[in-house]
Amino acid sequence: MDFLTYFFIVIGLVFWLWGTIQILDKRSVLYKLHSLSVADTLGSILIVFALALKIPSELPLLILAIISLTLWNTMLGYVLAYCSRNQEGKKLNG
């Protein structure tokens, strides 16, 4: 069970690293935001899932953490994408 737990933690960290590396790409800000938010959400969920395997007595709390991560990271991405437009509805350069 320890191997599986550490495997999910390492995969979660790989997703975090992959999302962070996407920031250095020369694409639009919205593309960077999307790739970073997806990678961070998946990485965080995998790490919390690994914790659920390690500490099964805390499963309800960790399931709540997974649901919260999914909802809040998605909503924050939409808010940041909406705020990246100027008042006329055009995308900002960057």
Side-chain angles (χ1 to χ4, degrees):
M1 187 60 78
D2 283 341
F3 173 75
L4 198 58
T5 301
Y6 292 126
F7 174 75
F8 282 122
I9 290 174
V10 167
I11 297 299
L13 291 174
V14 167
F15 270 109
W16 278 358
L17 181 65
W18 179 75
T20 304
I21 290 172
Q22 295 297 318
I23 293 175
L24 302 174
D25 200 6
K26 293 189 183 242
R27 296 188 185 203
S28 72
V29 172
L30 295 178
Y31 176 82
K32 292 176 186 181
L33 174 67
H34 174 71
S35 61
L36 180 65
S37 65
V38 168
D40 280 351
T41 302
L42 288 175
S44 298
I45 287 172
L46 285 172
I47 290 171
V48 172
F49 181 71
L51 288 173
L53 291 176
K54 189 77 169 168
I55 315 168
S57 63
E58 299 293 331
L59 188 62
L61 183 62
L62 293 171
I63 289 175
L64 181 63
I66 289 174
I67 293 170
S68 298
L69 278 169
T70 305
L71 293 175
W72 283 107
N73 283 354
T74 303
M75 285 192 290
L76 181 63
Y78 282 121
V79 168
L80 290 175
Y82 182 78
C83 291
S84 71
R85 296 180 177 266
N86 64 10
Q87 292 167 344
E88 289 85 31
K90 298 177 184 173
K91 285 193 245 179
L92 296 175
N93 293 334

